[in-house]
Amino acid sequence: MPSTEEFAWVTLTTNDTYSLGALVLAHSLKRAGTAHQLAVLVTPTVSEAMRDRLKDVYNVVQEVNVLDSQDAANLALLARPELGVTFTKLHCWRLVQFEKCVFLDADTLVLKNCDELFEREELSAAPDVSWPDCFNSGVFVFKPSVETFNQITEFAVKNGSFDGGDQGLLNQFFADWATADIKKHLPFVYNVTAYASYCYLPAFKQFRDKIKILHFAGKLKPWLIQFNSETKTAATPHDYSHAKDLIQHWWTIFCDNVHHFLDDTMPIKPDNTDIASDNTDRSVQPEAGLAGALAQLRIGVERTPEQEQYENLMRRQCWESGQIDYSGADAFDNIWKKITQTLEAKPDKEAEAEADQTDNDNVNDNDNTIGYNKLLTKTASRLLQQTHNATPARPSSDRSPSPSPSPSSSSSLATNQGSSVAEAKASPAAATTNKLPTNAQKPVSSNTAVEQQPTTTTTTGKPQRVQPAAQATQPQHILQQSPAPTKPSRQKASRKFK
Ligand code: UDP
Ligand code: GLC
Ligand code: MN
């Protein structure tokens, strides 16, 4: 039996937000008493401050370049345009300092010790809930090998991936998984999806206590769930109520093991700092630095302006990623009530004057609630103006809600807490699709499909040498590598697998 040094749990993060998941995951592994090493692959788009936090808990923090499928068409089938970067996972095969590894997505949570997984062979994984003849690639056992890495990347260039992400690719590559060897089928308890599909709930209830690894697969991630810092509770959306205690468990680990160590110098900016070239306030951009906002929270004490700021940031982020609590806080009635209250509280002229002023205001004011209300008032005024234009019969003083407001007006209103109706996005889904490109999704300047050079790996403790891999020569359009990060990185961070 190899020593524990030879086995590692491996995850991946390409930004500070997924890094929150990686931190909670690492602590969940430690709480479960694993005897094995922890390794995380990070891309240059993870901040220095966050890498330092990852180094506190991971034995190996390995920088890798982004690999992106750039396969918009297949990713559209998944409705997850951002998942092209999951090809970056493939770098896990290059961790050849380990004999065997288990890859875990950063959105997984280990509930019980699973060290027995290292007795399994490559490629062992659990069935995917959507197509059980495929395995889910959020949890899999593999054997690091530069040769395998080369084979998979070459295969990717030739064949692509049917879902545009690593799961389609790996299922095509390990194509006999469904039929060849039942020992490579992990029991479902090693990768239980938090989201409940048809027939799921009775089984979830029955086997709840046997779950070993929970996977927040899908758009709703635990860090995107509204969290009340005063009461330390997460507001679980209705369709996740079966997993309420498990979502709370994620947040409990976050509060107990992660939050104190977050650095409040972490930027409250988009994770990819080069994406916003306009002069908009980045603190309220989607995917803005959630880690930075959370770092500024004081947990377990009375709510502060920072808490309000965080909640506003979260609410917008949730809206724009399609996570809308239609029957809860985001219910149409609540939004409409807020608008009418705000309008009733102010004479029209004053409200409009204030609203105009918000063009120059920053919603990141100390009193963010005031900024938010101003924006809401402005948005409401403009919307009502539009409504009046469309229905001239209504007197201008009549600002009461229309008896049957159209869905599009509710969507526009609520998605635009920080911008005007004219900029309204048609729907949360459209907002997600229109997201600004990440570093990884930008065109590359070199023609290199996967650049691979021998380099020094920084581990916590001892530097290690990584084996060179052959240069891939395939065209760049299928498997692309991101350009160098725009931020100069301090050299003390991990060096790259390139
Ligand atoms: N990931 C990442 N950055 C991204 C998207 C994904 O680091 O922008 C990594 C992360 O480890 C994540 C995994 O790739 O857990 C797979 O993505 P995700 O879990 O969102 O896919 P899902 O399980 O929801 O299909
Ligand atoms: C899946 C997996 C995830 C993978 C993604 C893209 O649903 O859960 O690990 O990255 O699809 O293929
Ligand atoms: Mn996942």
Side-chain angles (χ1 to χ4, degrees), residues 75 78 83 86 89 103 105 107 128 136-139 161 163-168 215 217-218:
L75 288 165
L78 260 191
L83 289 190
T86 62
K89 251 188 221 182
F103 184 91
D105 268 7
D107 61 346
D128 188 75
N136 181 279
S137 65
V139 177
S161 158
D163 71 354
D166 64 290
Q167 180 162 308
H215 184 184

PDB file of all heavy atoms in Angstrom, residues 75 78 83 86 89 103 105 107 128 136-139 161 163-168 215 217-218, ligand 2:
ATOM      1  N   LEU A  75     -21.694  24.069 -25.363  1.00  0.00           N
ATOM      2  CA  LEU A  75     -21.916  24.627 -24.027  1.00  0.00           C
ATOM      3  C   LEU A  75     -23.319  25.219 -23.923  1.00  0.00           C
ATOM      4  O   LEU A  75     -23.939  25.204 -22.862  1.00  0.00           O
ATOM      5  CB  LEU A  75     -20.865  25.699 -23.709  1.00  0.00           C
ATOM      6  CG  LEU A  75     -19.467  25.147 -23.450  1.00  0.00           C
ATOM      7  CD1 LEU A  75     -18.428  26.268 -23.498  1.00  0.00           C
ATOM      8  CD2 LEU A  75     -19.401  24.436 -22.097  1.00  0.00           C
ATOM      9  N   LEU A  78     -25.796  22.900 -22.634  1.00  0.00           N
ATOM     10  CA  LEU A  78     -25.745  22.771 -21.170  1.00  0.00           C
ATOM     11  C   LEU A  78     -26.301  24.022 -20.495  1.00  0.00           C
ATOM     12  O   LEU A  78     -26.500  24.029 -19.286  1.00  0.00           O
ATOM     13  CB  LEU A  78     -24.282  22.669 -20.715  1.00  0.00           C
ATOM     14  CG  LEU A  78     -23.607  21.372 -20.377  1.00  0.00           C
ATOM     15  CD1 LEU A  78     -22.266  21.656 -19.721  1.00  0.00           C
ATOM     16  CD2 LEU A  78     -24.447  20.523 -19.427  1.00  0.00           C
ATOM     17  N   LEU A  83     -18.480  27.107 -18.899  1.00  0.00           N
ATOM     18  CA  LEU A  83     -17.799  25.862 -18.528  1.00  0.00           C
ATOM     19  C   LEU A  83     -16.746  25.365 -19.522  1.00  0.00           C
ATOM     20  O   LEU A  83     -16.159  24.310 -19.317  1.00  0.00           O
ATOM     21  CB  LEU A  83     -18.817  24.751 -18.224  1.00  0.00           C
ATOM     22  CG  LEU A  83     -19.618  24.934 -16.928  1.00  0.00           C
ATOM     23  CD1 LEU A  83     -20.414  23.674 -16.605  1.00  0.00           C
ATOM     24  CD2 LEU A  83     -18.735  25.305 -15.745  1.00  0.00           C
ATOM     25  N   THR A  86     -13.518  24.342 -18.031  1.00  0.00           N
ATOM     26  CA  THR A  86     -13.342  23.107 -17.258  1.00  0.00           C
ATOM     27  C   THR A  86     -12.358  22.152 -17.940  1.00  0.00           C
ATOM     28  O   THR A  86     -11.919  21.186 -17.322  1.00  0.00           O
ATOM     29  CB  THR A  86     -14.679  22.383 -16.982  1.00  0.00           C
ATOM     30  OG1 THR A  86     -15.262  22.005 -18.229  1.00  0.00           O
ATOM     31  CG2 THR A  86     -15.637  23.263 -16.199  1.00  0.00           C
ATOM     32  N   LYS A  89      -9.223  21.257 -16.090  1.00  0.00           N
ATOM     33  CA  LYS A  89      -9.138  20.076 -15.218  1.00  0.00           C
ATOM     34  C   LYS A  89      -8.115  19.067 -15.715  1.00  0.00           C
ATOM     35  O   LYS A  89      -7.505  18.337 -14.940  1.00  0.00           O
ATOM     36  CB  LYS A  89     -10.496  19.355 -15.219  1.00  0.00           C
ATOM     37  CG  LYS A  89     -11.290  19.438 -13.974  1.00  0.00           C
ATOM     38  CD  LYS A  89     -12.499  18.505 -14.087  1.00  0.00           C
ATOM     39  CE  LYS A  89     -13.736  19.142 -13.520  1.00  0.00           C
ATOM     40  NZ  LYS A  89     -14.909  18.236 -13.578  1.00  0.00           N
ATOM     41  N   PHE A 103     -10.061  13.368  -8.195  1.00  0.00           N
ATOM     42  CA  PHE A 103     -10.433  14.744  -8.517  1.00  0.00           C
ATOM     43  C   PHE A 103     -11.800  15.035  -7.914  1.00  0.00           C
ATOM     44  O   PHE A 103     -12.724  14.209  -7.993  1.00  0.00           O
ATOM     45  CB  PHE A 103     -10.498  14.979 -10.044  1.00  0.00           C
ATOM     46  CG  PHE A 103     -10.777  16.429 -10.335  1.00  0.00           C
ATOM     47  CD1 PHE A 103      -9.737  17.318 -10.506  1.00  0.00           C
ATOM     48  CD2 PHE A 103     -12.092  16.914 -10.360  1.00  0.00           C
ATOM     49  CE1 PHE A 103      -9.980  18.679 -10.700  1.00  0.00           C
ATOM     50  CE2 PHE A 103     -12.353  18.267 -10.553  1.00  0.00           C
ATOM     51  CZ  PHE A 103     -11.288  19.154 -10.722  1.00  0.00           C
ATOM     52  N   ASP A 105     -14.650  18.318  -7.880  1.00  0.00           N
ATOM     53  CA  ASP A 105     -15.015  19.682  -8.261  1.00  0.00           C
ATOM     54  C   ASP A 105     -14.978  20.584  -7.030  1.00  0.00           C
ATOM     55  O   ASP A 105     -15.241  20.117  -5.897  1.00  0.00           O
ATOM     56  CB  ASP A 105     -16.460  19.706  -8.797  1.00  0.00           C
ATOM     57  CG  ASP A 105     -16.541  19.537 -10.303  1.00  0.00           C
ATOM     58  OD1 ASP A 105     -15.507  19.269 -10.938  1.00  0.00           O
ATOM     59  OD2 ASP A 105     -17.663  19.690 -10.844  1.00  0.00           O
ATOM     60  N   ASP A 107     -17.134  22.551  -6.219  1.00  0.00           N
ATOM     61  CA  ASP A 107     -18.490  22.690  -5.659  1.00  0.00           C
ATOM     62  C   ASP A 107     -18.941  21.388  -4.992  1.00  0.00           C
ATOM     63  O   ASP A 107     -20.136  21.124  -4.898  1.00  0.00           O
ATOM     64  CB  ASP A 107     -19.486  23.126  -6.746  1.00  0.00           C
ATOM     65  CG  ASP A 107     -19.586  22.120  -7.887  1.00  0.00           C
ATOM     66  OD1 ASP A 107     -18.715  21.232  -7.986  1.00  0.00           O
ATOM     67  OD2 ASP A 107     -20.538  22.216  -8.682  1.00  0.00           O
ATOM     68  N   ASP A 128     -23.787   9.835 -13.969  1.00  0.00           N
ATOM     69  CA  ASP A 128     -24.354  11.175 -14.001  1.00  0.00           C
ATOM     70  C   ASP A 128     -25.875  11.064 -13.914  1.00  0.00           C
ATOM     71  O   ASP A 128     -26.472  10.211 -14.588  1.00  0.00           O
ATOM     72  CB  ASP A 128     -23.951  11.881 -15.300  1.00  0.00           C
ATOM     73  CG  ASP A 128     -24.347  13.334 -15.286  1.00  0.00           C
ATOM     74  OD1 ASP A 128     -23.668  14.110 -14.600  1.00  0.00           O
ATOM     75  OD2 ASP A 128     -25.352  13.691 -15.941  1.00  0.00           O
ATOM     76  N   ASN A 136     -20.306  11.206 -14.061  1.00  0.00           N
ATOM     77  CA  ASN A 136     -20.187  12.624 -13.741  1.00  0.00           C
ATOM     78  C   ASN A 136     -18.729  12.910 -13.425  1.00  0.00           C
ATOM     79  O   ASN A 136     -18.087  12.165 -12.668  1.00  0.00           O
ATOM     80  CB  ASN A 136     -21.086  12.985 -12.554  1.00  0.00           C
ATOM     81  CG  ASN A 136     -20.985  14.464 -12.230  1.00  0.00           C
ATOM     82  OD1 ASN A 136     -20.048  14.896 -11.569  1.00  0.00           O
ATOM     83  ND2 ASN A 136     -21.931  15.241 -12.722  1.00  0.00           N
ATOM     84  N   SER A 137     -18.209  13.979 -14.018  1.00  0.00           N
ATOM     85  CA  SER A 137     -16.780  14.259 -13.858  1.00  0.00           C
ATOM     86  C   SER A 137     -16.492  15.214 -12.708  1.00  0.00           C
ATOM     87  O   SER A 137     -15.418  15.795 -12.649  1.00  0.00           O
ATOM     88  CB  SER A 137     -16.204  14.793 -15.168  1.00  0.00           C
ATOM     89  OG  SER A 137     -16.798  16.041 -15.465  1.00  0.00           O
ATOM     90  N   GLY A 138     -17.439  15.330 -11.793  1.00  0.00           N
ATOM     91  CA  GLY A 138     -17.185  16.146 -10.594  1.00  0.00           C
ATOM     92  C   GLY A 138     -16.402  15.369  -9.551  1.00  0.00           C
ATOM     93  O   GLY A 138     -15.816  15.959  -8.632  1.00  0.00           O
ATOM     94  N   VAL A 139     -16.397  14.039  -9.643  1.00  0.00           N
ATOM     95  CA  VAL A 139     -15.645  13.173  -8.725  1.00  0.00           C
ATOM     96  C   VAL A 139     -15.098  12.006  -9.545  1.00  0.00           C
ATOM     97  O   VAL A 139     -15.884  11.262 -10.135  1.00  0.00           O
ATOM     98  CB  VAL A 139     -16.569  12.585  -7.616  1.00  0.00           C
ATOM     99  CG1 VAL A 139     -15.799  11.631  -6.710  1.00  0.00           C
ATOM    100  CG2 VAL A 139     -17.233  13.688  -6.786  1.00  0.00           C
ATOM    101  N   SER A 161     -15.798  17.894 -27.461  1.00  0.00           N
ATOM    102  CA  SER A 161     -16.510  17.351 -26.316  1.00  0.00           C
ATOM    103  C   SER A 161     -17.997  17.534 -26.557  1.00  0.00           C
ATOM    104  O   SER A 161     -18.424  18.622 -26.956  1.00  0.00           O
ATOM    105  CB  SER A 161     -16.108  18.123 -25.053  1.00  0.00           C
ATOM    106  OG  SER A 161     -17.096  17.984 -24.056  1.00  0.00           O
ATOM    107  N   ASP A 163     -20.394  17.989 -24.566  1.00  0.00           N
ATOM    108  CA  ASP A 163     -21.056  19.030 -23.771  1.00  0.00           C
ATOM    109  C   ASP A 163     -20.220  20.313 -23.701  1.00  0.00           C
ATOM    110  O   ASP A 163     -20.566  21.254 -22.990  1.00  0.00           O
ATOM    111  CB  ASP A 163     -21.428  18.534 -22.364  1.00  0.00           C
ATOM    112  CG  ASP A 163     -20.224  18.337 -21.446  1.00  0.00           C
ATOM    113  OD1 ASP A 163     -19.066  18.460 -21.907  1.00  0.00           O
ATOM    114  OD2 ASP A 163     -20.446  18.063 -20.251  1.00  0.00           O
ATOM    115  N   GLY A 164     -19.134  20.334 -24.439  1.00  0.00           N
ATOM    116  CA  GLY A 164     -18.292  21.531 -24.434  1.00  0.00           C
ATOM    117  C   GLY A 164     -17.414  21.630 -23.196  1.00  0.00           C
ATOM    118  O   GLY A 164     -16.570  22.516 -23.094  1.00  0.00           O
ATOM    119  N   GLY A 165     -17.606  20.727 -22.239  1.00  0.00           N
ATOM    120  CA  GLY A 165     -16.812  20.744 -21.008  1.00  0.00           C
ATOM    121  C   GLY A 165     -16.037  19.451 -20.850  1.00  0.00           C
ATOM    122  O   GLY A 165     -16.033  18.587 -21.743  1.00  0.00           O
ATOM    123  N   ASP A 166     -15.391  19.304 -19.712  1.00  0.00           N
ATOM    124  CA  ASP A 166     -14.549  18.122 -19.504  1.00  0.00           C
ATOM    125  C   ASP A 166     -15.365  16.833 -19.413  1.00  0.00           C
ATOM    126  O   ASP A 166     -14.878  15.759 -19.760  1.00  0.00           O
ATOM    127  CB  ASP A 166     -13.722  18.296 -18.218  1.00  0.00           C
ATOM    128  CG  ASP A 166     -14.616  18.364 -17.004  1.00  0.00           C
ATOM    129  OD1 ASP A 166     -15.329  19.370 -16.859  1.00  0.00           O
ATOM    130  OD2 ASP A 166     -14.637  17.393 -16.223  1.00  0.00           O
ATOM    131  N   GLN A 167     -16.603  16.946 -18.945  1.00  0.00           N
ATOM    132  CA  GLN A 167     -17.381  15.717 -18.751  1.00  0.00           C
ATOM    133  C   GLN A 167     -17.666  14.996 -20.070  1.00  0.00           C
ATOM    134  O   GLN A 167     -17.508  13.778 -20.170  1.00  0.00           O
ATOM    135  CB  GLN A 167     -18.699  16.018 -18.031  1.00  0.00           C
ATOM    136  CG  GLN A 167     -19.533  14.766 -17.810  1.00  0.00           C
ATOM    137  CD  GLN A 167     -20.585  14.951 -16.744  1.00  0.00           C
ATOM    138  OE1 GLN A 167     -20.278  15.373 -15.641  1.00  0.00           O
ATOM    139  NE2 GLN A 167     -21.826  14.652 -17.055  1.00  0.00           N
ATOM    140  N   GLY A 168     -18.062  15.766 -21.080  1.00  0.00           N
ATOM    141  CA  GLY A 168     -18.301  15.166 -22.397  1.00  0.00           C
ATOM    142  C   GLY A 168     -17.024  14.555 -22.930  1.00  0.00           C
ATOM    143  O   GLY A 168     -16.993  13.402 -23.388  1.00  0.00           O
ATOM    144  N   HIS A 215     -22.583  17.094  -4.227  1.00  0.00           N
ATOM    145  CA  HIS A 215     -22.084  17.885  -5.355  1.00  0.00           C
ATOM    146  C   HIS A 215     -23.137  18.924  -5.735  1.00  0.00           C
ATOM    147  O   HIS A 215     -24.237  18.579  -6.141  1.00  0.00           O
ATOM    148  CB  HIS A 215     -21.819  16.921  -6.531  1.00  0.00           C
ATOM    149  CG  HIS A 215     -21.215  17.581  -7.717  1.00  0.00           C
ATOM    150  ND1 HIS A 215     -20.969  16.913  -8.892  1.00  0.00           N
ATOM    151  CD2 HIS A 215     -20.791  18.843  -7.935  1.00  0.00           C
ATOM    152  CE1 HIS A 215     -20.424  17.729  -9.770  1.00  0.00           C
ATOM    153  NE2 HIS A 215     -20.321  18.922  -9.216  1.00  0.00           N
ATOM    154  N   ALA A 217     -23.833  20.477  -8.260  1.00  0.00           N
ATOM    155  CA  ALA A 217     -23.746  20.606  -9.724  1.00  0.00           C
ATOM    156  C   ALA A 217     -24.900  21.478 -10.207  1.00  0.00           C
ATOM    157  O   ALA A 217     -25.989  21.463  -9.632  1.00  0.00           O
ATOM    158  CB  ALA A 217     -23.830  19.221 -10.356  1.00  0.00           C
ATOM    159  N   GLY A 218     -24.650  22.207 -11.269  1.00  0.00           N
ATOM    160  CA  GLY A 218     -25.681  23.113 -11.787  1.00  0.00           C
ATOM    161  C   GLY A 218     -25.343  24.543 -11.405  1.00  0.00           C
ATOM    162  O   GLY A 218     -24.323  24.813 -10.774  1.00  0.00           O
TER     163      GLY A 218
HETATM  164  C1  GLC B   2     -20.741  18.307 -15.361  1.00  0.00           C
HETATM  165  C2  GLC B   2     -19.837  18.083 -14.175  1.00  0.00           C
HETATM  166  C3  GLC B   2     -18.717  19.035 -14.117  1.00  0.00           C
HETATM  167  C4  GLC B   2     -18.177  19.324 -15.485  1.00  0.00           C
HETATM  168  C5  GLC B   2     -19.245  19.922 -16.357  1.00  0.00           C
HETATM  169  C6  GLC B   2     -18.769  20.265 -17.761  1.00  0.00           C
HETATM  170  O1  GLC B   2     -22.062  18.405 -15.043  1.00  0.00           O
HETATM  171  O2  GLC B   2     -20.523  18.078 -12.946  1.00  0.00           O
HETATM  172  O3  GLC B   2     -17.751  18.499 -13.265  1.00  0.00           O
HETATM  173  O4  GLC B   2     -17.100  20.212 -15.360  1.00  0.00           O
HETATM  174  O5  GLC B   2     -20.353  19.066 -16.434  1.00  0.00           O
HETATM  175  O6  GLC B   2     -18.482  19.132 -18.536  1.00  0.00           O
END
